[in-house]
Amino acid sequence: MIQLTGNDLDARALARIAAGAPVALDEAALARVAENRAVIQRILDEGRTVYGINTGFGQFATVVIPPSQLAQLQLNLVRSHAAGVGEPLPQDQTRALMAARINCLLKAHSGIRPEPIRLLAECLNRGVLPVVPSQGSVGASGDLAPLAHMALLLVGEGLAWEGDRHVPGGEALARAGLTPITLEPKEGLALINGTQLITALGNLAAARLMDLIPLADEVAALSLEALRGTRAPYDPRIHKARPHPGQIEVAARMLEILGPTSEIAESHRDCHRVQDAYSLRCIPQVHGVARDALRFAGEILQRELNSATDNPMIFTDTQESRSGGNFHGQYPAFACDLLAIAACDLASISERRQERLVNPAYSDLPAFLTREGGLESGFMMAHVTSAALVSEMKLLAHPACVDTIPTSAGKEDHVSMGPIAARKLWKAVDALEQVLALEARMALEGVRILGMAPAEGLRPLLERLDRACPPWHDRPMYAEISGTADALREHVRQSLA
């Protein structure tokens, strides 16, 4: 069980929640939430007019709502803002969205009671998950539409998942023995105002990249051996002279994996080649900046995961409400776009190594890694698949956060388009995983064809691939790619164990 406090949730823990881990609410945080809620009650008791509590929203901020209609105001807000379209978020992403919003509410700046937070956590733990359309948020004023679909469940409306089908939210609550809530002043806004769609998807993608970026080093090392490349470019003196942290780390890791030599390396010690191509020689520089990008973007996404992103913000110590712009998604949007660029570049250099593996003009290997060329096509189409994936990733790498379309009658005149950045990132990470699987499978075959022992540090990866992938003779390639991807995932799991 993962305890949510509002302060220390990270990408790995969020990924565990997405995969099904239950959550517990920190009681001290809930006590602070209750104290913060008292500020709302004081504002109401004093008859003050405060945005989001007893006014309309956005363009209607100057419309004052009488006390008798404040509950209806919050319900109307949630209903009207549940305007999402498109394919629903997968259930694991929905779980992450719910957990991220709970964690935000526990910051105790939202003016919400503890009861809606407890109900949201109960829904998460009992698998009562809202159906949340993936499109409809521009990532400023928060991810209003997705979070409104989530909030509808708490009032017994909207749709919920039941296995693979959708059922009315009220029915799903009743079957779980849960009772819907009646929203009180400020609570509808508190549930929907924030960056949690961008932040949840961004952190889940970052958690995957934490595994894929180091894996790319191992796969590249396997290709280096299959292509009979040199270890010389990884000399630490080279990288100390250009001291980017990621570059230094990757160079050191390549030497750790490859060791000083191997049977393959000894076989070409006195060959005629002077330098390798950039896709081999510049692995530290290209893989390294991806590591640095993940470090930078990951810090942004983790801070955002533990931030209060409401408007207005409620401050318990001074008993005040202050309007601001913490709902604006530019920070996580930038982070997601940067990670999509990093994923694309890792895939791009991987595809270049694959070209060298299948093209006999660039290596000592037979064309398309088959000794039966003509009768067999070998890995011809595998490389085409990789090229197609990388081309699509270049489109996904185009930043979304530089676009803006003003909304809400010009009140929201600069928006982040962060949810688009987050969804693009997710697709890019999926594609990177497939591209690395294609490279690993080709490099495995290249090493087999050479018939010599590769570096000792590659043994765990090779043993995993060997079990999953028999020596190549033409057979359905899709199954080979899928099996290789599965083997790589298991290799990563074992490496982390």
Side-chain angles (χ1 to χ4, degrees), residues 169-203:
E171 288 184 17
L173 288 178
R175 288 175 191 169
L178 299 172
T179 303
I181 59 167
T182 298
L183 295 174
E184 295 192 2
K186 179 65 166 68
E187 290 187 335
L189 187 58
L191 287 166
I192 72 172
N193 202 200
T195 62
Q196 278 64 56
L197 178 64
I198 316 170
T199 305
L201 268 60
N203 274 282

Side-chain angles (χ1 to χ4, degrees), residues 21-287:
V23 301
L25 304 179
D26 180 65
E27 290 300 325
L30 286 171
R32 290 191 293 271
V33 167
E35 291 174 8
N36 189 248
R37 175 65 191 178
V39 179
I40 302 295
Q41 193 57 52
R42 180 177 178 179
I43 289 170
L44 293 169
D45 292 343
E46 293 176 355
R48 286 188 272 161
T49 299
V50 177
Y51 174 75
I53 297 174
N54 47 19
T55 71
F57 307 98
Q59 182 71 12
F60 298 123
T62 58
V63 179
V64 179
I65 311 300
S68 62
Q69 294 182 315
L70 293 185
Q72 189 64 47
L73 171 69
Q74 298 299 315
L75 183 58
N76 287 349
L77 176 71
V78 171
R79 286 172 171 169
S80 65
H81 282 54
V85 298
E87 288 295 314
L89 294 179
Q91 293 185 44
D92 58 342
Q93 294 181 11
T94 303
R95 289 182 59 86
L97 174 70
M98 296 165 73
R101 192 60 200 164
I102 291 168
N103 204 58
C104 174
L105 294 171
L106 290 174
K107 297 293 293 183
H109 287 298
S110 304
I112 196 171
R113 293 170 296 150
E115 286 79 4
I117 304 175
R118 291 188 188 276
L119 179 57
L120 193 54
E122 283 297 319
C123 288
L124 182 59
N125 286 342
R126 300 189 195 193
V128 183
L129 307 179
V131 175
V132 178
S134 58
Q135 294 172 283
S137 174
V138 296
S141 254
D143 291 318
L144 295 171
L147 289 168
H149 282 273
M150 181 199 75
L152 275 180
L153 176 64
L154 302 186
V155 299
E157 297 184 12
L159 295 172
W161 290 97
E162 188 177 81
D164 294 329
R165 69 188 188 99
H166 303 163
V167 299
E171 288 184 17
L173 288 178
R175 288 175 191 169
L178 299 172
T179 303
I181 59 167
T182 298
L183 295 174
E184 295 192 2
K186 179 65 166 68
E187 290 187 335
L189 187 58
L191 287 166
I192 72 172
N193 202 200
T195 62
Q196 278 64 56
L197 178 64
I198 316 170
T199 305
L201 268 60
N203 274 282
L204 290 182
R208 293 179 65 191
L209 285 170
M210 289 175 193
D211 297 336
L212 290 176
I213 288 177
L215 177 65
D217 300 339
E218 286 190 82
V219 172
L222 186 60
S223 291
L224 183 90
E225 287 285 72
L227 292 166
R228 305 176 89 183
T230 177
R231 291 151 170 76
Y234 312 133
D235 187 320
R237 294 171 296 178
I238 295 172
H239 306 285
K240 185 179 179 181
R242 192 198 193 195
H244 293 297
Q247 178 177 330
I248 291 171
E249 289 168 12
V250 173
R253 186 152 190 268
M254 291 295 288
L255 287 180
E256 179 186 1
I257 295 167
L258 292 165
T261 191
S262 69
E263 188 177 351
I264 292 177
E266 290 302 314
S267 74
H268 59 91
R269 177 180 288 276
D270 299 315
C271 70
H272 65 281
R273 286 178 293 178
V274 178
Q275 291 184 331
D276 288 329
Y278 289 0
S279 58
L280 299 176
R281 196 192 332 162
C282 299
I283 289 168
Q285 290 80 3
V286 177
H287 288 208

Side-chain angles (χ1 to χ4, degrees), residues 117-459:
I117 304 175
R118 291 188 188 276
L119 179 57
L120 193 54
E122 283 297 319
C123 288
L124 182 59
N125 286 342
R126 300 189 195 193
V128 183
L129 307 179
V131 175
V132 178
S134 58
Q135 294 172 283
S137 174
V138 296
S141 254
D143 291 318
L144 295 171
L147 289 168
H149 282 273
M150 181 199 75
L152 275 180
L153 176 64
L154 302 186
V155 299
E157 297 184 12
L159 295 172
W161 290 97
E162 188 177 81
D164 294 329
R165 69 188 188 99
H166 303 163
V167 299
E171 288 184 17
L173 288 178
R175 288 175 191 169
L178 299 172
T179 303
I181 59 167
T182 298
L183 295 174
E184 295 192 2
K186 179 65 166 68
E187 290 187 335
L189 187 58
L191 287 166
I192 72 172
N193 202 200
T195 62
Q196 278 64 56
L197 178 64
I198 316 170
T199 305
L201 268 60
N203 274 282
L204 290 182
R208 293 179 65 191
L209 285 170
M210 289 175 193
D211 297 336
L212 290 176
I213 288 177
L215 177 65
D217 300 339
E218 286 190 82
V219 172
L222 186 60
S223 291
L224 183 90
E225 287 285 72
L227 292 166
R228 305 176 89 183
T230 177
R231 291 151 170 76
Y234 312 133
D235 187 320
R237 294 171 296 178
I238 295 172
H239 306 285
K240 185 179 179 181
R242 192 198 193 195
H244 293 297
Q247 178 177 330
I248 291 171
E249 289 168 12
V250 173
R253 186 152 190 268
M254 291 295 288
L255 287 180
E256 179 186 1
I257 295 167
L258 292 165
T261 191
S262 69
E263 188 177 351
I264 292 177
E266 290 302 314
S267 74
H268 59 91
R269 177 180 288 276
D270 299 315
C271 70
H272 65 281
R273 286 178 293 178
V274 178
Q275 291 184 331
D276 288 329
Y278 289 0
S279 58
L280 299 176
R281 196 192 332 162
C282 299
I283 289 168
Q285 290 80 3
V286 177
H287 288 208
V289 74
R291 281 181 177 237
D292 287 336
L294 177 59
R295 203 163 5 237
F296 173 75
E299 288 177 359
I300 289 175
L301 289 166
Q302 183 167 341
R303 280 196 302 269
E304 190 75 4
L305 193 56
N306 295 285
S307 295
T309 56
D310 295 78
N311 183 57
M313 301 276 285
I314 309 300
F315 296 96
T316 307
D317 54 351
T318 59
Q319 300 285 293
E320 290 179 297
S321 169
R322 284 288 182 267
S323 288
N326 277 5
F327 51 68
H328 200 293
Q330 206 70 3
Y331 264 103
F334 259 73
C336 289
D337 278 332
L338 177 59
L339 290 180
I341 291 169
C344 177
D345 202 38
L346 285 173
S348 179
I349 196 171
S350 170
E351 182 276 327
R352 287 294 78 204
R353 290 190 292 266
Q354 292 171 49
E355 162 75 3
R356 306 193 81 79
L357 287 163
V358 299
N359 188 340
Y362 295 141
S363 74
D364 301 323
L365 300 168
F368 304 111
L369 300 169
T370 176
R371 294 188 177 95
E372 302 290 335
L375 175 64
E376 293 189 343
S377 295
F379 289 83
M380 182 186 297
M381 286 307 299
H383 177 242
V384 171
T385 297
S386 192
L389 287 168
V390 172
S391 180
E392 186 172 350
M393 290 179 75
K394 291 174 183 177
L395 297 177
L396 297 172
H398 180 82
C401 68
V402 297
D403 184 33
T404 181
I405 298 176
T407 58
S408 195
K411 179 75 72 173
E412 300 161 6
D413 59 349
H414 182 282
V415 301
S416 74
M417 299 300 177
I420 300 168
R423 288 189 289 108
K424 290 194 305 90
L425 171 59
W426 196 260
K427 293 178 183 177
V429 172
D430 279 342
L432 173 61
E433 184 178 59
Q434 296 301 320
V435 171
L436 292 178
L438 286 157
E439 182 185 359
R441 184 62 189 87
M442 293 181 202
L444 169 66
E445 203 63 25
V447 167
R448 284 171 171 167
I449 289 169
L450 291 180
M452 293 176 279
E456 185 69 20
L458 287 167
R459 179 176 291 181

Side-chain angles (χ1 to χ4, degrees), residues 457-479:
L458 287 167
R459 179 176 291 181
L461 176 62
L462 278 169
E463 288 177 350
R464 183 72 59 185
L465 291 172
D466 268 328
R467 288 196 292 271
C469 307
W472 181 258
H473 290 288
D474 277 5
R475 52 183 178 264
M477 182 60 74
Y478 72 89

